[in-house]
Amino acid sequence: MVRNSIRRRLMVGLITTTAVVWLATAISSYYDTQHEVGELFDAQMAQAARTLLALSGHELEELVDDGGVLVGHHVHFIPEHPDQFKGHEYEHKLAYQIWLREEMQLMLHSDTAPQSPLSEVAYGYSDVDIKGEHWRILSLIDHENRFMVQVGESYAIRNELSGDIALRIVTPMFVALPFMALFVWYVIGRALTPLTRLTREVSSRAADRLDPVATDDSPEETRPLVDALNKLFGRLGYAFENERRFTADAAHELRTPLAALKTQAQVATRAGDEESRAHALNHVITGVDRATHLVQQLLTLARVDPEIGLKQKERIALCPLLGDVMAHLATHAFDKNVELELNEECHGKILGSPDHLRILLRNLVDNAIRYTPPGGLVSAFVEVQGKELLLRVRDSGPGIPKEERDRIFERFFRLPGTQQQAQGSGLGLSIVQRIAELHQARVELDEAPQGGLEVRIHFPLSE
């Protein structure tokens, strides 16, 4: 499989495009040059014809008498010493004639001109065939309309000269094409140097090196790639740091209940009577329940990551979902003699994941029940406020002091003195905050009217 190369694609694209454009330009220049050379030759023929009329007019007048009768005969010029000047190679392809108009008498002509008129056209340019050759003929008449000059030039001269001139113009373009290819190759190589340097830097990095790539000398075209890489490194660093903290915290938090389980199991094995053994085993069961709850919370926290986001969203009515959660936790509340309350006028929908929202609601209500003393009240309210759906969960527990509210969302953080009051892992509100971030919601903590804690979550309302 041939590897896709930016350098190769740029080289092929640029050279091919340049070659096609140059070829079209060369062809156009060739024909334009031939046309312009033809125009130049026509102008030279006109100048030569007018010069012949001007120089030969007086001499031709002397050959005609006062009554207009021809007294002379046609003449052609022959050099006195033919060997003195052998002429140019193009000379036999040039010809001229001077005619007396009325009698169509040939007065003067070149050695290369025939005895008959070069062209039947009396005035202007014309193309004729003379002895198998293609000629360009110009016919001019003097002001008195007495003499006609015909100047002829073989197209062989024109084509040879115009072709030679055109080739001289076009040839440097084709000669320069290989040099231009080398120059393009060099320029492309220089332009791709930052990308090559970036490749070397990224490929040579260690697996744990996630610091941002330097962008000082990055060109504008590679800046989005470098920025994307830096964002990726940042997310990976965040994920790895979360994983390290999660592993360390989980190991620390699991160490205590596992040590307690081992201690209670040792007590049970050494108990001398059934009552002591049963008491120790009950503590083992309680410790297992606590460790199970902690593991479940840890797994939930590991699955909920705001950096990943929600893969699928749907419009969800929050009130029925909250009612199901409170009904599921009603047994726990009844065992603790805690009353649950849900406002009747409950409506509004949000966009999100029902599974994640169920975890959020369960943690909020479960936390409220855990920290509410027997005979207390846990209330939940859902109401629409402008473009937001406001969820409020209140309890009549001890509440959270203002100075501790910023730390309450830290994992495994529990208020001093609450460890004995309620069994928990210190992960509930961390999970709530993460799921709220997934739904672009914000969490606020305040004091409830009955003295406990009020948790408010503002969800964007789904239109």
Side-chain angles (χ1 to χ4, degrees):
M1 181 177 179
V2 180
R3 296 176 62 185
N4 194 4
S5 170
I6 296 178
R7 182 194 294 269
R8 187 182 303 112
R9 290 170 61 185
L10 286 174
M11 282 290 297
V12 172
L14 288 175
I15 298 301
T16 302
T17 302
T18 304
V20 170
V21 172
W22 278 27
L23 179 62
T25 303
I27 294 174
S28 176
S29 299
Y30 182 83
Y31 286 106
D32 286 345
T33 301
Q34 285 194 323
H35 174 74
E36 293 300 324
V37 171
E39 293 288 337
L40 178 61
F41 285 158
D42 285 347
Q44 290 178 342
M45 288 177 62
Q47 185 178 10
R50 296 187 186 279
T51 302
L52 281 173
L53 280 177
L55 294 178
S56 304
H58 179 68
E59 288 78 2
L60 293 176
E61 289 289 345
E62 293 179 353
L63 297 177
V64 182
D65 61 7
D66 295 336
V69 179
L70 179 66
V71 296
H73 198 270
H74 69 276
V75 180
H76 62 276
F77 297 109
I78 300 177
E80 295 181 2
H81 303 285
D83 293 335
Q84 289 181 344
F85 180 67
K86 295 182 179 180
H88 195 272
E89 59 177 324
Y90 293 151
E91 187 175 350
H92 69 282
K93 298 181 182 296
L94 302 173
Y96 71 88
Q97 295 173 338
I98 301 178
W99 295 83
L100 186 65
R101 281 273 295 163
E102 293 182 0
E103 291 79 7
M104 281 304 295
Q105 177 66 49
L106 182 61
M107 304 296 294
L108 297 172
H109 69 90
S110 64
D111 291 338
T112 55
Q115 299 296 320
S116 58
L118 291 173
S119 175
E120 299 296 330
V121 177
Y123 187 83
Y125 292 96
S126 59
D127 295 330
V128 298
D129 290 326
I130 301 176
K131 297 180 180 181
E133 286 191 74
H134 200 47
W135 285 66
R136 180 72 165 172
I137 308 299
L138 172 61
S139 302
L140 287 182
I141 302 173
D142 67 344
H143 294 295
E144 287 77 17
N145 199 24
R146 298 188 67 187
F147 303 105
M148 179 180 69
V149 173
Q150 288 189 329
V151 179
E153 186 175 57
S154 174
Y155 266 105
I157 300 176
R158 291 181 170 226
N159 294 337
E160 184 176 350
L161 291 177
S162 61
D164 185 62
I165 294 173
L167 285 176
R168 288 178 182 271
I169 295 175
V170 172
T171 300
M173 300 176 65
F174 289 99
V175 172
L177 188 60
F179 296 97
M180 191 214 65
L182 291 175
F183 181 72
V184 169
W185 178 84
Y186 174 76
V187 171
I188 291 176
R190 294 286 296 176
L192 293 178
T193 300
L195 190 59
T196 305
R197 185 166 57 250
L198 175 64
T199 303
R200 287 198 303 265
E201 181 179 351
V202 174
S203 61
S204 62
R205 285 188 166 215
D208 58 347
R209 183 185 169 191
L210 298 175
D211 55 292
V213 178
T215 59
D216 297 337
D217 59 344
S218 297
E220 183 178 353
E221 289 76 12
T222 61
R223 186 63 61 86
L225 174 62
V226 175
D227 291 342
L229 281 174
N230 288 336
K231 290 180 181 178
L232 175 62
F233 290 153
R235 290 195 297 269
L236 287 174
Y238 172 82
F240 290 161
E241 181 62 25
N242 269 357
E243 182 180 355
R244 284 192 291 266
R245 285 191 296 154
F246 175 81
T247 303
D249 294 342
H252 178 268
E253 292 298 319
L254 285 172
R255 187 180 298 113
T256 300
L258 290 177
L261 285 174
K262 181 179 180 180
T263 300
Q264 294 299 328
Q266 291 174 343
V267 170
T269 57
R270 297 173 182 174
D273 56 275
E274 290 297 326
E275 182 179 358
S276 299
R277 183 178 295 107
H279 181 75
L281 291 176
N282 286 333
H283 280 289
V284 171
I285 295 173
T286 302
V288 170
D289 291 340
R290 181 179 178 183
T292 302
H293 176 73
L294 175 61
V295 170
Q296 290 177 345
Q297 294 288 72
L298 287 171
L299 292 176
T300 300
L301 191 63
R303 290 196 303 267
V304 180
D305 190 351
E307 289 290 320
I308 300 176
L310 296 175
K311 295 182 178 180
Q312 293 182 348
K313 295 181 181 182
E314 56 183 272
R315 295 181 74 241
I316 302 167
L318 196 61
C319 295
L321 197 62
L322 178 58
D324 291 342
V325 170
M326 296 184 73
H328 179 73
L329 294 174
T331 302
H332 178 40
F334 179 78
D335 292 340
K336 199 174 179 182
N337 192 24
V338 173
E339 182 182 356
L340 298 180
E341 180 184 53
L342 177 64
N343 64 318
E344 296 181 358
E345 297 182 0
C346 180
H347 62 279
K349 293 184 177 182
I350 62 175
L351 194 65
S353 166
D355 294 334
H356 286 78
L357 289 173
R358 189 180 297 275
I359 295 173
L360 178 146
L361 296 173
R362 185 175 66 244
N363 275 278
L364 279 179
V365 177
D366 183 63
N367 265 12
I369 294 174
R370 285 176 182 272
Y371 290 96
T372 298
L377 173 66
V378 173
S379 305
F381 305 87
V382 177
E383 55 186 330
V384 177
Q385 289 189 353
K387 294 184 178 181
E388 292 183 335
L389 187 67
L390 176 61
L391 167 67
R392 292 185 295 173
V393 177
R394 298 171 177 171
D395 62 60
S396 56
I400 300 176
K402 289 184 179 181
E403 60 273 10
E404 300 289 351
R405 289 174 186 172
D406 291 337
R407 297 192 58 196
I408 200 64
F409 294 106
E410 296 178 7
R411 292 182 298 181
F412 304 111
F413 176 78
R414 302 185 67 187
L415 289 175
T418 60
Q419 287 84 352
Q420 302 299 326
Q421 182 179 355
Q423 294 183 356
S425 60
L427 294 174
L429 288 180
S430 297
I431 296 173
V432 168
Q433 187 183 46
R434 282 199 176 190
I435 297 177
E437 290 176 1
L438 284 174
H439 293 79
Q440 287 79 49
R442 68 180 191 275
V443 183
E444 297 176 350
L445 302 180
D446 201 356
E447 185 177 348
Q450 56 267 42
L453 178 68
E454 177 178 292
V455 181
R456 293 193 296 266
I457 303 180
H458 301 262
F459 292 95
L461 192 63
S462 175
E463 298 181 359

